[in-house]
Amino acid sequence: MNGLINGGWDYVNAAYSIVWFVLISYGIFAWKQSRPNQEKLP
Amino acid sequence: MGRFLDLGLFIIASGLLLLGSIWGLWIAPPEAMMGDVYRIMFVHVPSAWAALMAYTTCLVASVIYLFSGKSGADHVAAASAEVGLVFNALLLITGSLWGRPTWGVWWTWDPRLTTAAIMFFAYAGYLALRGAIDDDRRRSTWCAVVGIIIYADIPIVWFSVKMWNSLHQLQSSPKTMDPAMVTPLRIGAFAFLFAFLWLVRRRVVALRLRAQNDILMMNEGDPR
């Protein structure tokens, strides 16, 4: 049985895509920001 | 040691996220009433748990800072509030994407949704406050106090579905779910837990580096 809602996959794909995009983007940001910037340090 | 821990957390979080997505999307069976759209639960519910865990960490770190005055606790509070806000945003977005096909609306002023939105804006305000105060001591103290006060919303979010007549369903637990759906939810929960730990550790390192950099700049007479 496929339930009472048709076209649910569009919403599912959108939700998973957003979660992956946000986590990867924020992960890259967090990783880059946590690396020492040698130019600023004496 | 720290580097291996970071690498381990990153690998476990990435692996579990991948496994949880595959399981949630293709292995778990469709739900009897909602069909496939219920699969959003496997990222929506872990987002909620991760956000609540992050905000609780912020509360504990804020209390520790007020008692000890250690900058490390302040960094943990700031990092966990920021990471919590990211999970909170994912919670609201995935919830909205689930609400549209099941309730017929992207958003409704239901008690659970409203209190979750208040939680988001409260912590966004907390981070704005962090950016608005220049003096380190004052910023840390004020933010620790605010971090404790705004936590009052979290129990309200949690119990909102029980206290009021809410459109949102009650909390899901393994006891109320089909065993075939429990496994991907558990994988998702652990994936978000390890992602939370890795992200907070990275953000704490970044905040510590910035604080050290500010001290060095101050000693060199840089007016920044």
Side-chain angles (χ1 to χ4, degrees), chain B residues 23-114:
Chain B
W23 206 307
L25 287 172
W26 292 296
I27 299 175
E31 203 259 352
M33 298 296 283
M34 285 185 279
D36 291 307
V37 81
Y38 95 98
R39 297 175 195 279
I40 293 174
M41 176 182 72
F42 302 129
V43 285
H44 176 72
V45 175
S47 298
W49 288 341
L52 296 182
M53 194 162 44
Y55 294 151
T56 305
T57 308
C58 177
L59 169 79
V60 173
S62 298
V63 172
I64 291 173
Y65 177 79
L66 283 182
F67 277 102
S68 69
K70 289 185 176 168
S71 60
D74 180 53
H75 293 161
V76 171
S80 50
E82 188 188 290
V83 174
L85 197 69
V86 172
F87 286 121
N88 200 159
L90 288 177
L91 168 72
L92 294 174
I93 293 166
T94 54
S96 184
L97 282 163
W98 196 358
R100 182 69 182 84
T102 49
W103 298 340
V105 287
W106 294 104
W107 183 265
T108 178
W109 296 103
D110 165 89
R112 168 54 75 83
L113 276 67
T114 306

Side-chain angles (χ1 to χ4, degrees), chain A residues 2 4 9 16 20 26 34, chain B residues 21 33 36 39 82 202:
Chain A
N2 287 323
L4 303 174
W9 276 110
Y16 277 75
W20 273 94
Y26 186 60
S34 63
Chain B
S21 296
M33 298 296 283
D36 291 307
R39 297 175 195 279
E82 188 188 290
R202 292 289 88 203

Side-chain angles (χ1 to χ4, degrees), chain B:
Chain B
M1 179 66 190
R3 186 173 277 189
F4 285 113
L5 181 63
D6 275 336
L7 188 65
L9 287 173
F10 178 79
I11 290 170
I12 294 170
S14 309
L16 287 177
L17 263 178
L18 195 63
L19 181 67
S21 296
I22 291 168
W23 206 307
L25 287 172
W26 292 296
I27 299 175
E31 203 259 352
M33 298 296 283
M34 285 185 279
D36 291 307
V37 81
Y38 95 98
R39 297 175 195 279
I40 293 174
M41 176 182 72
F42 302 129
V43 285
H44 176 72
V45 175
S47 298
W49 288 341
L52 296 182
M53 194 162 44
Y55 294 151
T56 305
T57 308
C58 177
L59 169 79
V60 173
S62 298
V63 172
I64 291 173
Y65 177 79
L66 283 182
F67 277 102
S68 69
K70 289 185 176 168
S71 60
D74 180 53
H75 293 161
V76 171
S80 50
E82 188 188 290
V83 174
L85 197 69
V86 172
F87 286 121
N88 200 159
L90 288 177
L91 168 72
L92 294 174
I93 293 166
T94 54
S96 184
L97 282 163
W98 196 358
R100 182 69 182 84
T102 49
W103 298 340
V105 287
W106 294 104
W107 183 265
T108 178
W109 296 103
D110 165 89
R112 168 54 75 83
L113 276 67
T114 306
T115 51
I118 290 170
M119 178 169 77
F120 178 84
F121 288 112
Y123 282 89
Y126 169 90
L127 291 177
L129 181 68
R130 292 201 78 90
I133 304 172
D134 287 331
D135 183 72
D136 286 348
R137 275 271 177 228
R138 277 186 62 210
R139 179 179 57 228
S140 303
T141 308
W142 275 100
C143 289
V145 173
V146 171
I148 293 166
I149 293 170
I150 57 177
Y151 190 81
D153 185 46
I154 275 72
I156 300 173
V157 173
W158 183 260
F159 290 110
S160 58
V161 285
K162 290 180 181 171
M163 286 194 296
W164 294 297
N165 188 17
S166 177
L167 186 60
H168 192 284
Q169 66 171 74
L170 292 170
Q171 289 96 343
S172 299
S173 81
K175 288 176 190 166
T176 60
M177 289 168 59
D178 190 286
M181 297 167 182
V182 172
T183 308
L185 184 63
R186 282 204 172 123
I187 294 171
F190 279 105
F192 277 60
L193 166 69
F194 285 106
F196 157 74
L197 291 172
W198 183 80
L199 286 166
V200 166
R201 277 182 62 86
R202 292 289 88 203
R203 296 306 292 149
V204 166
V205 170
L207 289 167
R208 197 191 305 142
L209 282 171
R210 191 187 294 172
Q212 288 168 354
N213 204 39
D214 284 349
I215 292 168
L216 287 170
M217 291 291 189
M218 211 181 293
N219 290 342
E220 282 185 359
D222 190 313
R224 186 166 71 92

